[in-house]
Amino acid sequence: MSKHVVAALQIGADPKGTQATLGKILSYEAELKEKKVELVVIPEATLGGYPKGSHFGTYLGYRLQAGREKFAEYFKGAIDVPGPEIEQLETLSASTGASIVIGVIERGGSSLYCTAVYIDSVKGYVGKHRKIMPTATERLIWGQGDGSTLITADFEGLGKVGGAICWENFMPLLRASFYAKGLNIYVAPTVDDRDGWTALIRTIGNEGRLFVVSAVAFLPTAQAAQLDMPGWPEGKNAIDGGSLIVNPYGDIIAGPLRGKEGLLTAEIDYDIIPQAKYDMDPVGHYSRGDIFQLTVDQTPRDAVVFK
Amino acid sequence: MSKHVVAALQIGADPKGTQATLGKILSYEAELKEKKVELVVIPEATLGGYPKGSHFGTYLGYRLQAGREKFAEYFKGAIDVPGPEIEQLETLSASTGASIVIGVIERGGSSLYCTAVYIDSVKGYVGKHRKIMPTATERLIWGQGDGSTLITADFEGLGKVGGAICWENFMPLLRASFYAKGLNIYVAPTVDDRDGWTALIRTIGNEGRLFVVSAVAFLPTAQAAQLDMPGWPEGKNAIDGGSLIVNPYGDIIAGPLRGKEGLLTAEIDYDIIPQAKYDMDPVGHYSRGDIFQLTVDQTPRDAVVFK
Amino acid sequence: MSKHVVAALQIGADPKGTQATLGKILSYEAELKEKKVELVVIPEATLGGYPKGSHFGTYLGYRLQAGREKFAEYFKGAIDVPGPEIEQLETLSASTGASIVIGVIERGGSSLYCTAVYIDSVKGYVGKHRKIMPTATERLIWGQGDGSTLITADFEGLGKVGGAICWENFMPLLRASFYAKGLNIYVAPTVDDRDGWTALIRTIGNEGRLFVVSAVAFLPTAQAAQLDMPGWPEGKNAIDGGSLIVNPYGDIIAGPLRGKEGLLTAEIDYDIIPQAKYDMDPVGHYSRGDIFQLTVDQTPRDAVVFK
Amino acid sequence: MSKHVVAALQIGADPKGTQATLGKILSYEAELKEKKVELVVIPEATLGGYPKGSHFGTYLGYRLQAGREKFAEYFKGAIDVPGPEIEQLETLSASTGASIVIGVIERGGSSLYCTAVYIDSVKGYVGKHRKIMPTATERLIWGQGDGSTLITADFEGLGKVGGAICWENFMPLLRASFYAKGLNIYVAPTVDDRDGWTALIRTIGNEGRLFVVSAVAFLPTAQAAQLDMPGWPEGKNAIDGGSLIVNPYGDIIAGPLRGKEGLLTAEIDYDIIPQAKYDMDPVGHYSRGDIFQLTVDQTPRDAVVFK
Amino acid sequence: MSKHVVAALQIGADPKGTQATLGKILSYEAELKEKKVELVVIPEATLGGYPKGSHFGTYLGYRLQAGREKFAEYFKGAIDVPGPEIEQLETLSASTGASIVIGVIERGGSSLYCTAVYIDSVKGYVGKHRKIMPTATERLIWGQGDGSTLITADFEGLGKVGGAICWENFMPLLRASFYAKGLNIYVAPTVDDRDGWTALIRTIGNEGRLFVVSAVAFLPTAQAAQLDMPGWPEGKNAIDGGSLIVNPYGDIIAGPLRGKEGLLTAEIDYDIIPQAKYDMDPVGHYSRGDIFQLTVDQTPRDAVVFK
Amino acid sequence: MSKHVVAALQIGADPKGTQATLGKILSYEAELKEKKVELVVIPEATLGGYPKGSHFGTYLGYRLQAGREKFAEYFKGAIDVPGPEIEQLETLSASTGASIVIGVIERGGSSLYCTAVYIDSVKGYVGKHRKIMPTATERLIWGQGDGSTLITADFEGLGKVGGAICWENFMPLLRASFYAKGLNIYVAPTVDDRDGWTALIRTIGNEGRLFVVSAVAFLPTAQAAQLDMPGWPEGKNAIDGGSLIVNPYGDIIAGPLRGKEGLLTAEIDYDIIPQAKYDMDPVGHYSRGDIFQLTVDQTPRDAVVFK
């Protein structure tokens, strides 16, 4: 079977909290079944949330107590991976037959990580990727994943699926490492709703010669999303979406979907992949290993290892 | 429940012997109940004693018989772990609801160890830590614990509690290993009554982002404590105390208590921990596992293993 | 001076030959002066030509003699670098004050190379880059450059300028190597006129946090260009242009210019570069050298070296 | 010669800019000579500045243009290492005979680093340490140093001197690595003026059994220092100083100096070091390499390496 | 009660046979009672005998029938353990209050073993140790014990007693395993009458920090003992004795008794043991489990196991 | 050549210091040559000294400053290995043809180690062994070697030579490890002058079936040696010597030499070794690997490892 239906679920965290957000996701069960979706990608930080506009009460050289409390509250809204929320998603995955990649805020010890969780429709939870490079204010609240977190899942019926979160995808060496893993589908959950993101996703499809499913978060206006966003234009959505699906030539085959929540789907055909790689294979006939050699260190880098 | 009352019992070995010392501890039962103490830390070597000032008749290259006899007497005053003295403490713990960490001199085969015993208010005796690095003259009378002894207790209602004894706490790698164990409360029984100890305990709280309860021994003047202390100032207490309790920012919240015996208590609030780790998480977002990786070998190292 | 005018000269090889093409370029002297252009980028293979549609009489396993003769004719139209044509361009550069990057077909021994030549408005010819990865049928007629050819020029008044030719720019490791060279302006001469190219150029600006000037060739219909293009739609331009200039956020600031020859210009402001790198610095604060390390071997790789 | 005079220069960046700050430092030439200072430590970020209270216009998920411009301005005030400002300090060092460790903001490519520069009174510039772990908002503006940056200087007449910047010093594994380098003097430039810092510095002296010179920045009130510090108490100094010098027992031998600029000096005697290590040697007789082994990876981690 | 009388019964097998030898032992009943002996050790192979000088008619590659017959006769003289001879010794033990360790030749199936039998004055027969390493010609007539035979007895009033037979005691790993069993008294029945044996027994006391009772056999001249001893000096005793008792410092406190049969006794004081272990504890504070770890496999190794 | 002359140089540290002691050793050059000595063993702590009777001002729980100063002075008298003193011994070794094993006090970082240095008559310095188990007061002043220090030298003309220092030799597992290394000569430098030492050395020869050369220190009365020895009998030598040489049957073939300095020599014949191992081979036919297996971990155990 070379044809598959894949989807991006354009959605955002519910201001009522993690369990409410989870409920919103589960409400798509019927639509996922009906459209025979085999893979659904859910945006960055959907479980746990992305409190856009906050700076967590932190200034160069000091923190306000209110900022610490905001972080502690954010910490409570995060989830364990695996854990009970993941189990609910496993149930959804099994009932719909759609494997899931979802962006969550993960508690790892006492630090938080921006994590993409991989759930197989048959095997359940199969692994996670921790964002290795948070951007700007994210660096205050999220730790950095290490090289061991550059995983790919071998999803039921779909083969290799992997990818990275938000601006990590701008790291050319990271992308090259994923091309070398032999993906069929590259997934890119994000909160970046600008059109430069569209250009990036097309370029990933084009240079990597693979399908890309990018799920962008949707959050309404600051007021509706209960966010405090200094300097943000009144009435402008906090995150406007822009999910899209791209083929191995970099052509958009679905989306971008903007301005609302929704499930964006496309049928893809794996037979295109070798056709596209006839033109260019970024880690095969179109590489120059004699000049450029990328070393990827996937060693776990825990600060303390017990034996 | 995020709030807990913790205590350091500042006390010293009774010159009349181990059973007398035990009696002194048991006499605090009412106060422990009244103050609703959930954890009480008792200083290093309280049961068995710390005969400060002795050199056990030992000189470089030879020993005097009197020193051997002094050691043999010290050996008799030590306890087995577990054993009858520990059972008495289990009873105290169960009746008061206070879990106990107490410093004792333990007989292990024919060697002595400076040991911290962990007693849970519900489960009773749960484990022990043998000091891994005795200091100076201690090296004549105490063996060294191995890596298997770096335990933490999961105390009823309190979660993870662990720590080390006296100058072990100056070992940065040891401390880092405990931070990686995810403690809520770090305990530090000691006989060090100097103010550098206060600075250390504050630094442990600060760098480890956890609560610290340090119980320092109190022994009166050499005469009163029936000790022979060559070169020690007349009238100066043998060990002057200095117990203190510190929060995850390294602030002192109780003590230091000096110059007398007594029960030092403080109410602590676990909700502060994630707030403090927002600033710094020594084994999470504030570590550099790519540069520094600590390996901790917890293998038991008995000289002879039977199977 | 942080502001500069840069240009892409959208042009194609004249069917009358190399000298005619050179004449066409020189005819822009006045416009370059008038617009105070400091850098002009000229498309891939402009001198020497890109005989789109040919397969040089070559099939898998054999060649037709006609193909060999076509190649020999093409060989004659190529140039030496440096050489007389380059000298004419040095004169143009000096007179206009515009440094030049131009795509040419270079004779190197008995092989041809698709080369970008760097001409400084003050110092004249300063170096060349030979395409390291020809695409498809290009592999029949052009050799591959080696690592020594990844040059950057330090152009008068502009600082570091460098880049690659056509689909080389899809190689993520090659791009990363240029980001590490600290370019202000990335140049991308090409013959690719599709909109995926636009997405790529925007992504280069965005991920590299630098300005990009991409000069795309323009060739009219096959008939007008005197090309034989089997299967090509009648009346469709052979190469439709699409030159564009992009800023360090990936925003298009000029172009894409389509359907005709012409000089596309934009004023750029270097002050934006550190502002943009505040967000992301692909080889600085936004890299993960502990995970991804790219080694670039720039050793010359001549087959035979005499000493 | 076992006795030496060491100093901490408690000072802050001049709001008039880097050259003005440099002038302030140079004005101490006579006092350095008069007091026969052999080592002077100058606080974190003194050249380049520490704009306490800024958050560089950055919120979770977006940046304001004003923040980018503030960063670009900050970038301009930073220095190259080595470079002209360092040369001026080399002159000061040579004329006074005082080796210098100074905190600066360093331009490294397009990223900034918080760097400690080592200048020998005879050999001049000998190396630099880039902070490996920025704290909170610092993570927006400074990159992370790699393991190759854990340098020590072998200063004329003083032997090994090394250390870390600000909260790096709270990293127990980092400290242990410096103890293993065999320092005589540990230097700790910082902007942390709280008393927990005093406790830390005393603990470093105590656990490391070496001298510590900590130079803390001094900046007057926000108004005087031309800083915007939201939520900061009116009239409270932005950074109140607290420089101190500690001996290998953790005793304070000079300072803490608070509330003003000034040169804090102390005479130290290296003969104390082996005496103090008789009690405890954190990487020798007081380590347990069989249990705890710290691996320090000092490999340079440039994202791209050319050869 | 820390003081005890222990004894070595220096004796040899009677040429008239096992029952005669047993009679000789029983004849010491009065003396054992009178001297209040609590432990008596009787030499190797006392019951069953040690036909010194025989080679059982065996040469490399063949045997003489006479040798086979000699072995069969020797087999008949051996005993079962437990069995009737042991019962007689149990009676002796009970009547005198002396626990017994005696060397015998044991029939185990159709093989013979050189065995030490442990008889408690209250509990009677409590176990046996089969020599695990016969020496030289012994290998023709005795099998090898397995790890399950490394027993210790917990003798009435004496605590742990254990040990090995003859040259087994030269095996450093075997000795270490016994030290780890926590013996008070190490017993060493033997037929080795040389002065190197004295040095060994002293060394066992010294390194093991325990009391050692070594009972050496006494056999008169070959003629008197009815032995055929080719090459043996005329008139020299076949086994000259040499029994001795050693304290935990390796000092001889009784013996060596040479040239005759007899009961060698000494009063020992257990209080010396912890005093001696203050100096050295071979399996406690004086071991290096991180370097040397001895694994002792005590699994029974019967060739065929039925279940 | 199976015959060799080996020697123990019975000597002690000169109260005038390390260089004076070295001079004393060098004065034996002529005698070493004359007697054709091929191996000379020099006692424990000869260079650096063994200040018998000191307790370095240390009592349980505190130190006197005088003790710290005594240690610092002792630290200064220690040597680097390799270093200038070792070079002088290399010269002696080369000129006499005698390989040397000498006990020294070694500075390793800021800790001292009791070390045996191996110097080959042809290759010079070849390695060192750091005592792994200091005894009693030694634990105050010397660190512990790790498993990597269990070296053997392959001395010119002599083959494998190795061993341990003083009471380490009482560790049965350590000895077993050396037997497994296949030594011809076991060396045992010491300060133990008691006759239990003689018994131990004989037992090592006997159980290990190798030659043993034990060099015991000689120091005259406390007064003459300028030592303060509390409780030591007036007029008794501080260390009385007792050097001896033993063959593979445990027979003394030279010494014990008591009461004076001097060079003790013996001719040994390697041909005896296989003869003696016919009787017993402690790691071959006389071992029981199915029961006893000793694991020796020779991993270096530095607390901090840089790479």
Side-chain angles (χ1 to χ4, degrees), chain B residues 132-133 135 139 144-145 147 167 171 175 195 199-200 202-203 207 285-286 288 291-293 295-297, chain D residues 132-133 135 139 144-145 167 171 175 195 199-200 202-203 207 285-286 288 291-293 295-297:
Chain B
I132 61 168
M133 182 45 73
T135 301
R139 295 178 183 174
Q144 299 183 343
W167 275 26
M171 300 170 78
R175 294 202 310 269
D195 71 340
L200 171 66
R202 294 189 61 189
T203 298
E207 79 179 8
H285 71 80
Y286 220 91
R288 283 293 300 271
I291 301 177
F292 304 111
Q293 194 168 50
T295 305
V296 183
D297 189 337
Chain D
I132 62 168
M133 182 46 72
T135 301
R139 294 177 184 174
Q144 297 183 345
W167 275 27
M171 300 171 78
R175 294 202 310 268
D195 70 341
L200 171 66
R202 292 189 62 191
T203 298
E207 78 179 8
H285 71 81
Y286 220 91
R288 283 293 301 269
I291 301 177
F292 304 110
Q293 193 168 51
T295 305
V296 183
D297 189 338

Side-chain angles (χ1 to χ4, degrees), chain E residues 152-190:
Chain E
T152 60
D154 192 355
F155 275 150
E156 183 67 22
L158 291 169
K160 290 199 175 167
V161 175
I165 304 168
C166 202
W167 274 25
E168 289 188 311
N169 291 293
F170 276 113
M171 300 171 78
L173 303 184
L174 175 146
R175 293 201 311 267
S177 78
F178 274 107
Y179 303 152
K181 287 169 181 275
L183 303 181
N184 292 319
I185 305 172
Y186 188 106
V187 296
T190 189

Side-chain angles (χ1 to χ4, degrees), chain F:
Chain F
M1 282 291 292
S2 72
K3 295 192 179 173
H4 306 279
V5 177
V6 296
L9 178 55
Q10 185 157 301
I11 202 173
D14 192 299
K16 288 192 287 293
T18 298
Q19 198 54 41
T21 307
L22 197 52
K24 228 164 36 162
I25 295 168
L26 299 178
S27 74
Y28 281 87
E29 182 171 7
E31 188 173 350
L32 289 167
K33 280 180 179 164
E34 182 196 343
K35 293 183 170 166
K36 300 188 193 311
V37 170
E38 292 174 65
L39 171 70
V40 59
V41 183
I42 304 174
E44 181 182 15
T46 298
L47 293 183
Y50 192 81
K52 190 162 174 172
S54 180
H55 63 92
F56 287 85
T58 297
Y59 301 94
L60 190 68
Y62 62 98
R63 284 172 185 78
L64 304 181
Q65 176 60 15
R68 285 203 179 92
E69 286 167 11
K70 186 167 181 58
F71 177 78
E73 181 194 298
Y74 187 55
F75 190 85
K76 280 186 188 156
I79 68 167
D80 294 324
V81 179
E85 293 83 1
I86 300 305
E87 284 165 21
Q88 290 183 268
L89 292 169
E90 288 175 325
T91 303
L92 175 68
S93 182
S95 83
T96 59
S99 291
I100 298 173
V101 180
I102 180 171
V104 308
I105 303 305
E106 181 202 1
R107 277 190 299 261
S110 298
S111 290
L112 295 181
Y113 296 90
C114 179
T115 297
V117 179
Y118 286 74
I119 297 166
D120 184 278
S121 62
V122 170
K123 296 182 288 281
Y125 170 72
V126 290
K128 65 187 172 189
H129 163 65
R130 285 175 172 177
K131 196 180 197 174
I132 61 167
M133 182 45 73
T135 301
T137 305
E138 296 171 5
R139 294 176 183 176
L140 306 187
I141 53 174
W142 300 339
Q144 297 182 344
D146 61 24
S148 72
T149 194
L150 300 168
I151 65 153
T152 60
D154 192 356
F155 275 149
E156 183 67 22
L158 292 169
K160 288 201 177 166
V161 174
I165 303 168
C166 203
W167 276 26
E168 291 187 310
N169 291 295
F170 276 113
M171 299 171 78
L173 304 184
L174 175 146
R175 295 201 309 268
S177 78
F178 273 108
Y179 303 152
K181 286 169 183 276
L183 304 181
N184 292 320
I185 305 173
Y186 188 107
V187 296
T190 190
V191 296
D192 186 347
D193 60 358
R194 286 171 293 184
D195 71 341
W197 182 259
T198 309
L200 171 66
I201 294 304
R202 293 188 62 191
T203 299
I204 294 175
N206 211 343
E207 79 180 7
R209 301 274 132 170
L210 34 60
F211 291 98
V212 190
V213 180
S214 177
V216 187
F218 176 78
L219 286 179
T221 61
Q223 192 179 4
Q226 301 179 22
L227 296 168
D228 179 23
M229 298 180 66
W232 192 256
E234 176 104 26
K236 184 180 174 185
N237 285 334
I239 306 176
D240 196 43
S243 299
L244 75 164
I245 303 173
V246 157
N247 75 9
Y249 298 111
D251 301 322
I252 297 174
I253 56 175
L257 174 66
R258 294 201 189 274
K260 59 177 179 185
E261 290 191 0
L263 187 75
L264 180 76
T265 61
E267 191 189 64
I268 64 175
D269 185 348
Y270 280 8
D271 283 350
I272 295 175
I273 295 175
Q275 296 176 21
K277 288 199 175 161
Y278 170 45
D279 298 25
M280 178 163 62
D281 177 355
V283 294
H285 71 80
Y286 220 89
S287 63
R288 282 295 298 272
D290 57 323
I291 302 177
F292 304 110
Q293 191 167 51
L294 174 64
T295 307
V296 183
D297 189 337
Q298 298 193 116
T299 316
R301 295 289 185 183
D302 296 305
V304 183
V305 177
F306 295 95
K307 53 180 187 174

Side-chain angles (χ1 to χ4, degrees), chain B residues 29-263:
Chain B
E29 181 172 7
E31 189 173 349
L32 289 167
K33 280 178 179 166
E34 181 194 345
K35 294 184 170 165
K36 298 188 192 310
V37 170
E38 293 174 63
L39 172 70
V40 59
V41 182
I42 304 175
E44 182 182 15
T46 299
L47 294 183
Y50 193 81
K52 190 163 173 172
S54 180
H55 63 90
F56 288 84
T58 297
Y59 300 94
L60 190 68
Y62 61 98
R63 286 172 183 80
L64 303 182
Q65 176 58 16
R68 285 204 179 91
E69 287 167 12
K70 186 168 180 58
F71 176 78
E73 179 192 298
Y74 187 55
F75 191 85
K76 279 186 190 156
I79 69 167
D80 293 324
V81 179
E85 294 83 2
I86 300 305
E87 284 165 21
Q88 290 182 267
L89 292 169
E90 288 174 325
T91 303
L92 175 68
S93 182
S95 83
T96 58
S99 291
I100 298 172
V101 180
I102 181 171
V104 308
I105 304 306
E106 179 202 3
R107 278 191 296 262
S110 298
S111 290
L112 294 180
Y113 296 91
C114 179
T115 296
V117 179
Y118 286 74
I119 297 166
D120 183 280
S121 61
V122 170
K123 295 182 289 281
Y125 170 73
V126 291
K128 65 188 172 189
H129 163 65
R130 285 177 171 173
K131 195 180 198 174
I132 61 168
M133 182 45 73
T135 301
T137 305
E138 296 171 5
R139 295 178 183 174
L140 306 188
I141 54 173
W142 300 339
Q144 299 183 343
D146 61 24
S148 72
T149 194
L150 300 168
I151 65 151
T152 60
D154 194 355
F155 275 150
E156 183 67 23
L158 292 168
K160 288 201 176 165
V161 174
I165 303 169
C166 203
W167 275 26
E168 289 187 311
N169 291 294
F170 276 113
M171 300 170 78
L173 304 184
L174 174 147
R175 294 202 310 269
S177 78
F178 274 107
Y179 303 152
K181 286 168 182 275
L183 303 181
N184 292 320
I185 305 173
Y186 187 106
V187 295
T190 189
V191 296
D192 186 345
D193 60 357
R194 286 169 294 182
D195 71 340
W197 181 261
T198 308
L200 171 66
I201 294 303
R202 294 189 61 189
T203 298
I204 293 175
N206 212 341
E207 79 179 8
R209 300 276 131 171
L210 34 62
F211 291 96
V212 190
V213 180
S214 177
V216 187
F218 175 78
L219 286 179
T221 60
Q223 194 179 3
Q226 300 178 23
L227 296 169
D228 177 24
M229 298 181 65
W232 191 255
E234 176 104 27
K236 185 179 173 184
N237 286 333
I239 306 176
D240 196 44
S243 299
L244 76 165
I245 303 174
V246 156
N247 74 9
Y249 299 112
D251 301 322
I252 297 174
I253 55 175
L257 174 67
R258 292 199 191 276
K260 60 177 178 188
E261 291 192 358
L263 187 75

